[in-house]
Each structure stands twice: as structure tokens, then as C-alpha cells.
Amino acid sequence: MNDTILVNAQTLASRVTAVLLDAGASPDSTAATTDALMHASRTGIDSHGARLAAHYAAMLREGRLNPAPRLTVRRTAPATAMLDADDGLGHYACYRAMDTAIEIAAETGLGAVGIVRSSHCGAAGAYALKAAQAGMIGIITSNSDANVTLFGGTLPFHGTNPIAVAAPVSGQAPWLLDIATSSIPFNRVRLYRSLNHALPAGVAADMDGHETTNPHEAQMLMPLGGPEYGFKGAALAGLVTILSAVLTGATTDPNMIPMTETHDCGTARNVGQFCLALDPARFIGRAAFERAMADYLWQLRAVPPTQADSPVMAPGDREWKTAERRAIEGIPVDPDTYRFLFG
């Protein structure tokens, strides 16, 4: 990435922590948010990494975010629970909800936790990984404000509505899927604006619904699948809305206050999330699951590539390679974020 400054991960994390604490966030909220942002920055999801610290700090000061939320968990059945995030930082709520889902799954084989009165949670994969690190399969969804057009539509309706899934792999880094149901996340548009880089074709539209590659003209995103197959992304976005908002009582996408600082910054947005943890030991059995995963991934990676220097990769492989490289080289930070964090 051009026009960026390389920063040591520990140094970057300490500055993110400092600015969140300075904005009034509680130590627990700050620790969770820093962990989630650094996961994104380490693995190459820069749109959801340290650059978001500035936005969260502003929303804490403006009153949209509760700086010291009291998270409450209500068990609703043997395998289900609801978590009230108290309008705090979504990272804190999602980590707590996935921890709760894991605890329930240890008892019952699976645990499902809905989250209400939450907020933007960054890269959803950070929370799915919690389950994989506990030896379980983790799934998380989150709805968001309307900035993605429907297939064949001219107005934004769904949010970018991410889905993340992580599965444990014995002796290896977890299998990790973390995708938006839009063509790209809107934070990538904001990142490209700050870098003044053109967007790829087929991912964004202007205020009239016409495709644009100019990040400064982009007003909405296109659903995953693009102009011909965007009905797939639009349907997946709807699934996320059902699980994250309809099921939990959170605000649905078209009724949610936009995330940007140009809108009401003193009112909570009531974002919804949904966490699911599955214990493989209660299905095929842990040993058999580990053998099957290892064999499946071996076969996947052994498929001959179309280009000799670009091996076939499983979900997560690219992120783990990026994390290894950035641990040595440092994490690239865009100039605006660097100025905010380091002055």
C-alpha cells in the first residue's frame, strides 16, 4: 500500500489504547477494542484496523457510545442467551458474547447468543477466532446501517453486514472466513479516500446508483456478486439482518443511524450481532474432526494453481501470511491515522 508509514505492532497498540482511554472508554472496553483493531491491522484488514480509533474516540466524546457500559447476559434456554451491550463499544460486547456462547457450547454442544444495543464491532473475524482458539467452530454476524444497494435497486437498503466463521485446525492456524456481504466494506471506501486511490470497478455507486471508481463520489456499495450476480450478496445480507437484528430486537439496516460523523452523533445506533459456537466433540467427535479437517485442507492446498507462484489457499491463509510479514516489517498506517495517533 502506497503512502503509508510502517509502525511496530506493540507501539501501534499502545497508541490505540491511549487515545481510547483519553476519550473516556473504560479499561475493559478499551482492551477489547484495541485487541479487535490490532487483529485487523495485523492480518491486513486495514479498513477495520487502527484507523477506526479516531472514529470511536469521536463517538465516545460526542455521546453516541457509552464509555463505561455494564454488559448484562440473560440466559433464555439451555443453549441460548441474550446480551445487552448498553450502547457501548461493539468489540467489548462481541468478545463477551462469544465467550458466553463458548461456555454454553461446553455444556450443551452449541451456544447461541444474540446481542442488542451494540455498535460497530470492526472485523468480525476477531470474535469467531475466540471460538476456534477454544477448539470450537465460531460464527458471528452483524448488521449495520444502509449503505448497500439491493440487486437491481437504486437506493441503499442493507448494511455491509459481515459474516465471519472460524474453525480450529490441529497444529495450524485456524480456518478463517471474514467477509462483508457487500462487494467491499464501506470503510475501504473511506480508506481509499484518505489515500486518494481509485476503487476497483463494480464495487460502488454514486448518489444516483451509477457505478463509480472515484472514492469521493461513492455514496453506496454494490452487493457481493456485482452487477450480474449481486442477488447472492443481497440475500446473504438479508440473512445477516434476520439473525442480527430481527431475531434480537436491534434496529434493522434501513432504520439505523448512519455510522459517519456527519449524522446524529449523540444517539445510540442499536446495532445487532449474533454469535454461535459449535463443539465438534458433540458431532463427529474431536479426534475425527481434527483428522477430517487436516485431510480436507491438505487436499485443498494440493490443488494445482493456475499460476505457479500463486498457490491455492484456504480462507485465512492470506491473513496469517500477512500477520507473519507484518510482525517483522511493521504495520502500514495511512497518514491521517498516523497523525491522529502520533501527533
Side-chain angles (χ1 to χ4, degrees):
M1 186 181 297
N2 297 327
D3 305 320
T4 56
I5 302 159
L6 294 176
V7 180
N8 171 272
Q10 185 175 355
T11 301
L12 185 60
S14 68
R15 289 306 305 154
V16 170
T17 293
V19 299
L20 292 174
L21 289 173
D22 188 59
S26 68
D28 287 343
S29 291
T30 295
T33 303
T34 299
D35 284 349
L37 294 184
M38 291 307 299
H39 158 77
S41 286
R42 287 189 178 99
T43 56
I45 313 173
D46 297 305
S47 58
H48 286 59
R51 65 174 297 276
L52 286 175
H55 170 76
Y56 298 140
M59 295 303 98
L60 286 161
R61 291 191 171 96
E62 292 290 333
R64 177 185 288 177
L65 293 173
N66 181 353
R70 298 182 63 182
L71 306 185
T72 55
V73 177
R74 176 172 56 91
R75 193 78 170 258
T76 56
T80 59
M82 284 291 298
L83 184 147
D84 186 327
D86 197 22
D87 299 322
L89 284 154
H91 321 71
Y92 184 30
C94 287
Y95 274 130
R96 176 71 66 84
M98 187 57 80
D99 282 340
T100 302
I102 293 166
E103 292 171 5
I104 294 174
E107 300 174 16
T108 65
L110 60 88
V113 181
I115 308 174
V116 70
R117 293 210 300 152
S118 188
S119 64
H120 189 262
C121 65
Y127 319 109
L129 277 174
K130 288 281 287 185
Q133 291 162 354
M136 298 186 185
I137 296 171
I139 303 173
I140 182 168
T141 65
S142 177
N143 81 315
S144 55
D145 55 283
N147 54 27
V148 184
T149 184
L150 293 170
F151 181 67
T154 58
L155 296 173
F157 185 83
H158 285 130
T160 52
N161 291 13
I163 300 172
V165 185
V169 184
S170 181
Q172 301 178 37
W175 183 97
L176 174 63
L177 170 71
D178 186 354
I179 60 169
T181 53
S182 57
S183 52
I184 57 173
F186 209 92
N187 274 313
R188 191 169 300 277
V189 174
R190 298 187 181 103
L191 175 63
Y192 276 49
R193 285 174 182 167
S194 68
L195 297 173
N196 203 32
H197 288 177
L199 292 166
V203 302
D206 61 21
M207 64 183 300
D208 297 316
H210 299 133
E211 181 183 338
T212 181
T213 59
N214 186 334
H216 304 287
E217 294 179 358
Q219 297 299 311
M220 66 188 84
L221 303 172
M222 294 182 178
L224 187 66
E228 293 188 34
Y229 301 102
F231 57 87
K232 297 182 179 182
L236 285 172
L239 170 64
V240 171
T241 298
I242 291 169
L243 292 175
S244 305
V246 176
L247 187 66
T248 65
T251 302
T252 54
D253 314 7
N255 298 314
M256 188 182 295
I257 296 170
M259 179 179 173
T260 59
E261 288 89 342
T262 57
H263 293 80
D264 180 0
C265 297
T267 302
R269 302 170 66 229
N270 191 20
V271 177
Q273 282 110 13
F274 177 79
C275 296
L276 178 65
L278 302 165
D279 185 356
R282 306 299 185 93
F283 293 86
I284 192 175
R286 186 163 302 280
F289 173 82
E290 290 178 353
R291 288 194 299 270
M293 279 295 295
D295 182 63
Y296 162 66
L297 291 174
W298 180 85
Q299 292 187 63
L300 183 154
R301 294 176 179 128
V303 171
T306 56
Q307 298 181 19
D309 58 348
S310 299
V312 173
M313 293 187 287
D317 287 357
R318 180 176 284 108
E319 287 81 357
W320 304 133
K321 287 181 182 296
T322 298
E324 290 176 4
R325 185 178 69 253
R326 290 186 172 187
I328 299 170
E329 299 175 355
I331 294 173
V333 177
D334 67 90
D336 289 344
T337 298
Y338 189 86
R339 282 190 291 271
F340 172 77
L341 293 175
F342 296 93

